[in-house]
Amino acid sequence: MSTFKKLLRVVICTSVGVIFFQSGMVRQAMAQRVTAFPGQPYGVAHVSVQLPNTTTQAIESSRGFSISDPSGRVFYPVFKVGNFSEVAGGIVQEVLGTNPIPNINFLNVAFLFTGTEPFEVILNTPTPQTLLVQPDLRRARLHSFNLAKWWRMYHENVRGQVDQGDYPPLVETYLSEMLSARLRLEAPLLSRRRESELSQLQQTTQLLFGTEELRLATLRETMRGGGGVGEVASIPVPNEVEWTPLELPAQDPVPAMEPIALHVPEECYYIRFGSFENYLWLDHLKDDYGGDIGRMTTLRGHNARLEDKFQKQLALKQSETSELLGPNFISDVALLGTDLYLKEGAAMGVLFEAKNSFALTASFTSDRSATLKEFKNQGATLETVKVGDKSVSFLSTPDNLVRSFYVVDGQYHLVTSSRTLVERFLEAGAGKGALGASREFQNARSRMTLEQEHTVFAYFSSAFFRNLLSPQYQIELSRRLQSSVNMELIHLATLAAQGEQLPHATLDDLVQGGFLPNRFNSLQETQRPVQTDVGPVDPVRGRRGYFTPIPDVPLTEITPSELKLYQQFAAYSQAHWPQMDPLLVGVKRYALEEQDRMERVVIDANVSPLVEEKYGWLLSIVGPPTDVTLMTNPDDIINVQMSLKGGLLWPAIEPHHLYLGVQDAAVGEELIPSGFFQTLKLLRTTPGFIGAWPQLGLLELLPGLLMPPDVNGMSPLPLGVWRWQGNGFSSLSFNPDILLSEAPFMEARPSENHAQVRLRVGDLTQSQLASWVSMLNYSRAFEASLGNVRLLNSLSQQLRIPPADAMQVANNLLNTELICTLNGNYEFKEDVWQSSAWPQSQQLPTDYQAPLLEWFRGCTADFSKHPGEVELHVELDMLRKEREAPKTKLPSFNFFGK
């Protein structure tokens, strides 16, 4: 033992003795440690208390603590749990070989307060502790230092909640920006680094797909006084981007075409089912997983109930006989629309080809009359409007909760939320701009023919993508995003002002109190939300979540900021993205006879024609198609092979094969990952490997690969990684035994098909990895459940929402419904929010199964890139759920979970 280590051991031993002797004093001192420094507009206080043994891990993780004071002077608390033995125990154990330090959990609380007089606070941990806060008037100069300390803790807590939660962090973002402005405090460096500059392509993409990142960026910009708030629209609408036409081969003869396609506008997406039975198949698949196919792989922490919302908006009612009689009335069904913005209000519709037009009309008319009666007290009206020379039934409420146009053109019946879509449907039926008549669609039908009888056939035309990038869509998307953010900010500002017991009745009150930026006073009348019984309503677009579809909102003039942004977008598009590539998807299903309820779903996707250069580095790293398959251990449960090259990022790296695999082997310890070291341990114990052939290729970017191999081809690398080399193969893994067991099988063989990416996944339910997959899924689900509870606790602590009202306020703010990702129920119990499904330990519950394992029974996929096109072929084996009886309702429309 070195002299230094001996000396360190003596020091620690002495310290440990002192700790044991004074442990009672330490606990007492910690329980009474309170510092407070007055200031303007707030003083700042710090409290440290020892946590009682009754405090559970779940309460600590979910921040199930609260602080209150009878005088109402405490604001914006932040809680942080510390453990002395975790901090020092590792050093002690290294020196002494044991850890004699007592396990003392303590809670640090920092908060703002008003006034200079002493006051009492009640800290619930959850055991209530009453503490006296006595502002130190003599050391008020320490206020700035301690305020900065509170600010760092506050942002650390915000970052943790954002990372853990599965909900849009609107509350956290607003509070951070509002307090930053009022207290003149800049966000800490770690928080600022998360706000990255977006490229023009990223801005456009996020705007098109409605990502939460852009919503939060808009919220931050608005709170900082930007966002074009208050600008006057006085500039003419600019011209559209001059797109380069697609080069398409002539179709001679013209392929067979379904008649319904001749009634679909060419700028619409088109999802055709071919029969009512196919429509029901997809609807049943969605219903098996809560109306959202995305929930087949993971449980989300919130559900916007888009299925129910759009059934209600389109007035397509449930019927006891719809499944039984539907095939007798309907011969073909298609979804169409000019966008998929279901969350805020989409321009979409359902097109039916009738076998019996009279019976179908009677069914829809009956449903609409029932909806009119149901929403009569909300101002519902049913009227006949003229679109061209056609009479159209229009059922609506003033806030767009119901917005349904119903029009019949021959044997084709359209139910849609958009008047513009009605106009274009009638024009397409008359031969103007019909999708089925376009050369582009004919080219698609020559690739996926009508004779293939796809269960689902989806086509997204180049005209559809160009329309999304038009001035109408780009500018109105920005406006509705800003409108939605304005409503959210006004709601949040009102709650914050109420919590501080300050005036909040008008926008002027909120601006003067510092809860909204000054520019909110300059909102135009058309930009000011109108308060109603159902909440704020946009005077132009309607109720949040039910906005008027974008094509139906007039766009006549724009603001200087809008013109600048669109000009930047147009310049970027013409330089880097001169044309749009159509997307074609076909889905077929087959029954597998070897097992009841087993189906194979085959998915083919194609982008053609394709201009590869505009996708930049993403497609440039894809190597040439190859007819070589790399053989590994046939018992591997997961195998991925890719033909890659350096592309634009690393031009010197030549084409090569990259492969990775996971063996069917037990992982071992099944602890829910918690913290960095547990996650690292999980990675080390995963029975996986990665490699390259016939040269290192992209693996050259990894450090430390030059160690010479031993006689078995093995060499140790940094961080516990091992490398095996042989026959041109080079494999890496944390486990050397895995590499040695794979070595005898490593071989390159000819393949029947050319592809750049090949994926093979076996039946995970029959593998030793099943519990490992469930553990990973459970870990994320548990984190999301904790995140939701932290939000509920935060609403009560940050905005002083009564705990009993926190759930309703959270759902209203986020325009969604918080749900427990562990299929439990949230409940306010014993003065804290918690879930009935939370585990009692870190061990994986024995009865938990990942949602994926309920249906997934294997998958193969091939991706190929050829000159002018890319193709994807997927074969997915799945076990369908048992159905007690046929569904008795019309199919729903939330196929995308948006």
Side-chain angles (χ1 to χ4, degrees):
M1 184 182 297
S2 66
T3 303
F4 172 77
K5 203 163 188 178
K6 290 180 181 178
L7 178 61
L8 184 60
R9 182 170 184 172
V10 171
V11 172
I12 291 180
C13 287
T14 304
S15 300
V16 168
V18 172
I19 290 173
F20 277 126
F21 180 75
Q22 295 187 340
S23 59
M25 295 176 60
V26 168
R27 294 186 179 95
Q28 181 70 14
M30 289 174 59
Q32 296 181 354
R33 184 183 168 196
V34 181
T35 58
F37 305 95
Q40 291 296 328
Y42 301 104
V44 58
H46 293 267
V47 176
S48 291
V49 299
Q50 182 184 344
L51 288 175
N53 295 331
T54 56
T55 304
T56 65
Q57 179 66 36
I59 291 176
E60 292 184 13
S61 300
S62 64
R63 300 296 191 268
F65 310 110
S66 64
I67 188 170
S68 60
D69 68 304
S71 59
R73 293 169 55 186
V74 171
F75 303 100
Y76 308 112
V78 57
F79 304 90
K80 182 177 181 180
V81 177
N83 186 307
F84 181 72
S85 67
E86 288 180 357
V87 175
I91 301 175
V92 175
Q93 191 167 15
E94 173 68 20
V95 178
L96 301 180
T98 183
N99 184 9
I101 295 181
N103 187 17
I104 303 176
N105 282 339
F106 56 91
L107 177 67
N108 288 324
V109 188
F111 57 87
L112 305 182
F113 65 89
T114 56
T116 59
E117 297 299 318
F119 59 98
E120 287 188 341
V121 296
I122 302 172
L123 184 61
N124 292 298
T125 62
T127 303
Q129 301 185 44
T130 301
L131 304 171
L132 176 64
V133 179
Q134 192 160 1
D136 192 339
L137 302 177
R138 295 172 301 174
R139 296 194 297 167
R141 64 184 183 280
L142 296 177
H143 172 269
S144 297
F145 172 80
N146 282 274
L147 184 66
K149 182 180 176 182
W150 163 84
W151 190 231
R152 289 193 299 271
M153 288 179 62
Y154 197 88
H155 270 268
E156 180 183 349
N157 187 61
V158 166
R159 293 193 300 269
Q161 285 189 229
V162 171
D163 292 340
Q164 187 181 49
D166 190 42
Y167 58 86
L170 298 177
V171 178
E172 295 84 355
T173 304
Y174 166 75
L175 288 173
S176 298
E177 293 297 330
M178 182 269 291
L179 291 170
S180 176
R182 291 174 69 187
L183 302 177
R184 294 183 174 84
L185 293 172
E186 186 178 27
L189 181 60
L190 285 177
S191 297
R192 296 199 304 272
R193 283 181 175 176
R194 295 196 174 195
E195 300 177 25
S196 58
E197 288 284 335
L198 298 178
S199 67
Q200 182 63 58
L201 177 60
Q202 289 174 316
Q203 290 178 8
T204 302
T205 302
Q206 292 194 12
L207 189 62
L208 287 176
F209 290 100
T211 62
E212 290 301 333
E213 289 81 1
L214 186 58
R215 177 181 293 271
L216 296 176
T218 303
L219 190 152
R220 286 191 293 265
E221 180 69 14
T222 304
M223 285 299 295
R224 294 169 186 176
V229 174
E231 283 189 329
V232 178
S234 58
I235 302 173
V237 178
N239 295 327
E240 294 192 15
V241 174
E242 296 182 5
W243 304 104
T244 302
L246 295 174
E247 296 182 6
L248 296 165
Q251 299 298 321
D252 188 20
V254 175
M257 195 101 36
E258 63 272 28
I260 197 172
L262 294 171
H263 294 262
V264 177
E266 62 183 347
E267 71 273 17
C268 287
Y269 66 81
Y270 171 59
I271 303 174
R272 187 233 180 187
F273 298 90
S275 70
F276 194 74
E277 291 85 350
N278 288 343
Y279 196 10
L280 292 176
W281 168 78
L282 186 57
D283 186 64
H284 291 167
L285 182 62
K286 296 186 303 85
D287 280 352
D288 286 344
Y289 296 93
D292 184 353
I293 290 179
R295 293 173 64 84
M296 295 175 67
T297 55
T298 183
L299 295 178
R300 298 300 308 274
H302 57 94
N303 190 341
R305 306 296 180 190
L306 298 180
E307 172 189 3
D308 296 337
K309 181 174 80 171
F310 277 90
Q311 274 200 0
K312 185 180 296 182
Q313 188 176 47
L314 293 179
L316 289 168
K317 303 284 290 184
Q318 294 184 353
S319 169
E320 291 295 327
T321 58
S322 60
E323 278 201 13
L324 298 175
L325 299 182
N328 297 323
F329 296 164
I330 300 167
S331 57
D332 204 349
V333 186
L335 296 180
L336 68 159
T338 53
D339 61 67
L340 291 169
Y341 304 132
L342 304 182
K343 185 175 181 180
E344 296 295 350
M348 62 170 291
V350 190
L351 180 59
F352 300 91
E353 183 184 77
K355 288 182 180 179
N356 187 327
S357 192
F358 175 80
L360 191 58
T361 299
S363 176
F364 285 151
T365 301
S366 175
D367 290 345
R368 296 170 75 79
S369 296
T371 301
L372 174 64
K373 183 178 180 180
E374 179 184 354
F375 291 94
K376 196 68 177 178
N377 62 346
Q378 298 184 40
T381 58
L382 179 60
E383 56 186 320
T384 298
V385 298
K386 280 286 187 178
V387 178
D389 60 354
K390 198 78 170 179
S391 295
V392 178
S393 171
F394 180 43
L395 176 63
S396 66
T397 57
D399 60 357
N400 285 339
L401 183 66
V402 177
R403 181 182 174 87
S404 175
F405 293 88
Y406 172 47
V407 59
V408 182
D409 186 16
Q411 68 192 84
Y412 295 96
H413 299 239
L414 175 67
V415 183
T416 177
S417 60
S418 169
R419 180 189 177 101
T420 303
L421 205 52
V422 172
E423 296 172 356
R424 288 292 295 120
F425 161 71
L426 295 173
E427 290 177 349
K432 180 181 178 181
L435 181 68
S438 67
R439 176 181 286 189
E440 182 183 304
F441 186 76
Q442 293 169 3
N443 178 66
R445 266 306 183 196
S446 69
R447 295 176 176 274
M448 289 188 185
T449 66
L450 201 62
E451 290 76 15
Q452 291 176 288
E453 297 182 341
H454 288 98
T455 307
V456 182
F457 173 86
Y459 189 67
F460 297 82
S461 65
S462 62
F464 167 74
F465 292 113
R466 291 196 301 269
N467 185 53
L468 288 179
L469 299 172
S470 66
Q472 172 77 30
Y473 258 87
Q474 287 288 291
I475 293 171
E476 178 55 27
L477 274 174
S478 296
R479 288 183 178 181
R480 66 178 5 199
L481 174 62
Q482 186 66 62
S483 174
S484 183
V485 166
N486 287 350
M487 292 188 204
E488 291 161 354
L489 286 177
I490 292 172
H491 192 175
L492 285 163
T494 301
L495 292 175
Q498 286 176 333
E500 294 195 38
Q501 300 178 350
L502 294 175
H504 54 272
T506 66
L507 281 181
D508 289 342
D509 291 336
L510 298 176
V511 170
Q512 291 176 9
F515 299 100
L516 287 175
N518 291 331
R519 294 184 68 179
F520 258 76
N521 273 331
S522 60
L523 284 176
Q524 306 297 310
E525 286 300 320
T526 57
Q527 297 174 326
R528 288 176 177 255
V530 178
Q531 293 297 329
T532 69
D533 293 338
V534 297
V537 172
D538 185 302
V540 175
R541 298 164 185 84
R543 182 176 175 179
R544 185 170 66 121
Y546 297 90
F547 281 168
T548 300
I550 290 177
D552 294 1
V553 178
L555 181 67
T556 56
E557 294 178 313
I558 64 175
T559 68
S561 296
E562 292 169 340
L563 177 63
K564 179 181 178 181
L565 288 175
Y566 190 78
Q567 287 176 336
Q568 291 174 349
F569 157 74
Y572 178 88
S573 298
Q574 290 180 331
H576 303 282
W577 205 275
Q579 67 181 38
M580 295 292 105
D581 304 322
L583 171 64
L584 177 62
V585 180
V587 179
K588 290 192 72 172
R589 62 189 178 99
Y590 304 88
L592 297 180
E593 298 179 356
E594 55 266 27
Q595 187 175 347
D596 291 340
R597 299 187 288 122
M598 282 289 294
E599 287 186 350
R600 175 164 294 165
V601 178
V602 179
I603 304 171
D604 288 289
N606 178 283
V607 177
S608 174
L610 171 79
V611 179
E612 180 179 338
E613 290 74 19
K614 67 187 178 188
Y615 294 96
W617 68 268
L618 184 61
L619 286 184
S620 74
I621 65 173
V622 178
T626 173
D627 58 358
V628 172
T629 297
L630 303 183
M631 305 304 297
T632 60
N633 190 327
D635 292 332
D636 291 346
I637 195 68
I638 300 175
N639 184 277
V640 184
Q641 302 175 24
M642 296 171 281
S643 172
L644 301 175
K645 59 184 179 180
L648 297 175
L649 297 179
W650 306 283
I653 296 179
E654 298 181 353
H656 60 283
H657 289 260
L658 190 71
Y659 57 87
L660 61 91
V662 178
Q663 292 187 345
D664 184 5
V667 174
E669 202 172 8
E670 294 178 6
L671 288 177
I672 303 170
S674 177
F676 171 77
F677 292 105
Q678 186 65 35
T679 303
L680 180 61
K681 182 179 180 180
L682 179 68
L683 292 175
R684 289 178 177 274
T685 56
T686 301
F689 59 93
I690 186 172
W693 177 88
Q695 51 194 350
L696 283 173
L698 292 175
L699 291 186
E700 292 180 4
L701 302 175
L702 298 176
L705 296 183
L706 301 180
M707 294 290 292
D710 60 18
V711 293
N712 294 317
M714 300 290 292
S715 55
L717 302 179
L719 301 177
V721 178
W722 287 83
R723 178 185 180 189
W724 173 83
Q725 303 173 61
N727 301 323
F729 290 87
S730 182
S731 302
L732 307 176
S733 177
F734 283 108
N735 189 335
D737 293 336
I738 289 177
L739 299 180
L740 292 174
S741 65
E742 292 286 339
F745 299 98
M746 290 292 183
E747 180 184 359
R749 291 184 183 177
S751 174
E752 296 180 357
N753 64 319
H754 287 68
Q756 279 97 343
V757 181
R758 294 182 174 89
L759 167 70
R760 305 290 183 269
V761 182
D763 185 354
L764 295 171
T765 62
Q766 303 302 313
S767 73
Q768 299 181 69
L769 289 176
S771 59
W772 178 74
V773 173
S774 290
M775 177 192 64
L776 294 180
N777 186 276
Y778 187 89
S779 172
R780 179 54 194 150
F782 184 42
E783 288 291 307
S785 181
L786 285 172
N788 282 351
V789 167
R790 289 180 68 174
L791 171 63
L792 297 174
N793 291 330
S794 179
L795 288 173
S796 296
Q797 287 298 288
Q798 302 300 314
L799 299 174
R800 294 192 170 188
I801 305 297
D805 300 333
M807 181 66 75
Q808 182 178 351
V809 170
N811 291 339
N812 290 340
L813 276 172
L814 302 178
N815 200 23
T816 188
E817 179 183 349
L818 294 182
I819 56 177
C820 179
T821 46
L822 298 175
N823 288 326
N825 296 313
Y826 292 127
E827 49 194 6
F828 188 70
K829 186 177 180 182
E830 298 176 354
D831 293 329
V832 293
W833 278 100
Q834 52 190 292
S835 168
S836 61
W838 282 354
Q840 299 302 312
S841 69
Q842 281 193 296
Q843 294 291 337
L844 179 70
T846 56
D847 59 346
Y848 181 82
Q849 184 182 46
L852 177 71
L853 299 183
E854 295 180 11
W855 61 270
F856 182 84
R857 296 299 180 266
C859 174
T860 65
D862 294 318
F863 172 85
S864 304
K865 177 174 72 69
H866 305 286
E869 69 174 324
V870 295
E871 295 179 317
L872 175 67
H873 178 81
V874 180
E875 296 186 7
L876 180 65
D877 291 346
M878 59 190 304
L879 178 68
R880 294 298 300 272
K881 289 186 176 181
E882 286 192 72
R883 306 186 67 82
E884 295 180 0
K887 292 264 182 164
T888 56
K889 64 169 187 158
L890 271 176
S892 51
F893 315 101
N894 179 24
F895 294 105
F896 310 99
K898 293 287 186 182

